[in-house]
Structure formats: C-alpha cells, structure tokens
C-alpha cells in the first residue's frame, strides 16, 4: 500500500513524497527544492531511494542535485528531456511500465507544456501524477509544443478511469476556478465544486488530489470536443484542437 504525502514548495508547487512501507522504498516526484524534502525525510527517518521528474522546468527539478548528492537516489526522468535534465539513471518513454516506489507505473508522454513532459499513472493505486499537463480545472501553459499536441496529451489522460485521483504540480486551482466559472456559466457541478474549493483554500488546505471523473465534466480544457459546451462558450471552431487552442488563449489573457 502506497502512502502519498504532499510537500508544499516554492510559491505554489507541490512535491509528492511516496512511501512504500512494505518494501521500504521512498520516492519523491518533482522536487522543485530540496530543503522541505530533506526536512520531511529527517522527521520520518527515511532514506530517499528515487527522484522522479515529469519535465525539465526548474520548479520541478531544482532540488535534484542536492537530493542526489545526499542520498545517492536513482533519478527517473523522461528520455525526451535527457539533454535538459542532468544525471538521469533511468530514462522513461511513452507507454513504458516502470517501477516507482516498487509500484507498477505507466508512463504517458504528454508534450505541450514542454516537448518531453511525461505523466505517471499507477493503475493499482488509481492515481496519476500529472505534473504541469493537467491541473485541477486547468491545464499547463503551452510553452514548447503546439495546441494540437497539448490537446492530444490531455485526451490521453482523459481516457483513464473515472476513479483516478490526480496529483498535479501546482496549486493553481483558485485562479483556474475563476476562469472556468467565467466561461462555463451554467454548470451546476462546477458551482458545487467551486464552493468546496473556496472552502478548502480559505482553510489553507490543498485542493489535490482531485477526481478525474468529475474533472471531465467541469474542466473547460477537457471539454473542447463537447459541441454543446463549445457552442455555449460562443466558440465556432472547426475542430476540437482548435477549440482547445481558443480556450487556452482566452485563459492566457484572463
Ligand atoms: Zn513547468
Ligand atoms: Fe511548474
């Protein structure tokens, strides 16, 4: 049984610390900084066996070096970013199955935010680590890839089971929520979830993980191929990836 701990880092990053007690394996996903991870491990008395990265941005890999120096952990990172992430031990690629914290994990290549971004899905644990590809009520900015690539990447994630818990790279939920409500004015489920989100944030609680089944109904970026939704938003694009691009641009300027 896997335990997942949320460590807050930088201004709004989430680092995920994974612990498999039975196998005595501890891993960390996207350590944007080392200090809070070291502090956490010291408290628990755990060694760090694995460091995992979803993509090369500094707010996700900034703690790699210090952690690898101290713990001699194995670094698992996308093969596509091997020139941008230093000292990778295990390169992972699309559709590969790797062991993370001793748990069988499927890798999805999800280009868009960066060209080599990957997400990690653990079927037995019903959880997805989505990095900066899928956020709660949002998605990553499209920096390196095309809108079409990002849309295809989100579609890969959308096919995962409804009962998947999603752990994303940032606490951007409140601002995503404002945008979602701005373009999707008549969504009862979104209204209900928005109250929960506001309540959690007012109490300083993280909004992760979130449920993928619900997300499919309320995240505007996952609904670019829903004709009724697209019409109600007032877009008249020819295809889903164009609609996605228009929604993404609207959010960039929001
Ligand atoms: Zn990023
Ligand atoms: Fe980031």
């Amino acid at each position: 049984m896997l335990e997942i701990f949320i460590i807050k880092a930088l201004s709004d990053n989430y680092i995920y610390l994974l612990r498999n007690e039975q196998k005595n394996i501890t891993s960390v996903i996207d350590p944007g900084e080392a200090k809070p991870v070291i502090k956490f491990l010291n408290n628990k008395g755990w060694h760090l066996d694995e460091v995992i990265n979803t993509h090369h941005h500094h707010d996700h890999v900034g703690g790699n070096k210090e952690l690898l120096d101290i713990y001699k952990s194995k670094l698992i990172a996308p093969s596509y970013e091997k020139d941008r992430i230093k000292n990778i031990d295990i390169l992972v690629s699309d559709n590969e199955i790797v062991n993370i914290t001793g748990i069988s994990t499927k890798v999805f290549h999800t280009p868009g935010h960066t060209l080599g971004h990957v997400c990690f899905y653990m079927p037995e644990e019903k959880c997805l680590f989505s990095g900066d590809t899928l956020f709660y009520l949002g998605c990553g900015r499209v920096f390196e890839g095309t809108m079409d690539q990002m849309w295809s990447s989100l579609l890969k994630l959308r096919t995962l089971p409804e009962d998947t818990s999603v752990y994303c790279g940032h606490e951007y939920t409140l601002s995503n929520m404002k945008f979602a409500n701005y373009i999707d004015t008549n969504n009862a489920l979104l209204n209900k979830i928005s109250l929960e989100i506001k309540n959690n944030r007012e109490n300083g609680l993280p909004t992760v993980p979130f449920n993928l089944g619900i997300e499919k109904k309320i995240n505007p970026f996952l609904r670019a191929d829903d004709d009724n939704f697209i019409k109600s938003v007032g877009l008249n694009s020819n295809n889903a990836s164009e609609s996605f691009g228009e929604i993404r641009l609207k959010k960039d300027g929001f």
Side-chain angles (χ1 to χ4, degrees), residues 63-98:
N64 278 14
K65 189 182 180 315
E66 201 175 339
L67 294 171
L68 298 182
D69 282 350
I70 297 174
Y71 299 100
K72 312 291 174 215
S73 322
K74 286 241 173 311
L75 179 59
I76 302 171
S79 59
Y80 318 100
E81 306 211 329
K82 66 176 179 346
D83 296 330
R84 310 186 73 170
I85 302 175
K86 290 194 186 90
N87 302 313
I88 305 176
D89 296 295
I90 300 170
L91 297 165
V92 295
S93 304
D94 199 29
N95 287 318
E96 224 173 87
I97 308 287
V98 283

Side-chain angles (χ1 to χ4, degrees), residues 55 57 59-60 113 132:
H55 66 296
H57 284 159
D59 60 315
H60 299 255
H113 179 70
D132 286 359

Side-chain angles (χ1 to χ4, degrees), residues 11-67:
S11 55
D12 47 32
N13 277 78
Y14 285 135
I15 299 173
Y16 298 109
L17 195 126
L18 278 44
R19 171 70 181 168
N20 185 332
E21 191 67 41
Q22 275 166 335
K23 296 188 178 170
N24 191 24
I25 304 175
T26 309
S27 313
V28 73
I29 300 188
D30 282 353
E33 51 181 340
K35 291 280 172 302
V37 177
I38 296 167
K39 194 176 161 208
F40 188 94
L41 291 166
N42 283 344
N43 273 331
K44 295 283 189 181
W46 294 337
H47 176 80
L48 184 64
D49 302 285
E50 300 167 342
V51 174
I52 294 105
N53 296 141
T54 59
H55 66 296
H56 69 82
H57 284 159
H58 192 75
D59 60 315
H60 299 255
V61 306
N64 278 14
K65 189 182 180 315
E66 201 175 339
L67 294 171

Side-chain angles (χ1 to χ4, degrees), residues 206-220:
T207 58
V208 289
F210 55 93
N211 170 268
L212 186 64
I214 293 175
E215 192 66 4
K216 290 178 195 178
K217 302 189 180 103
I218 60 174
N219 183 329

Side-chain angles (χ1 to χ4, degrees), residues 54-57 81 110-117 141 143-145:
T54 59
H55 66 296
H56 69 82
H57 284 159
E81 306 211 329
T110 55
H113 179 70
T114 68
L115 283 174
H117 193 295
R141 279 183 189 253
F143 286 128
E144 295 179 9

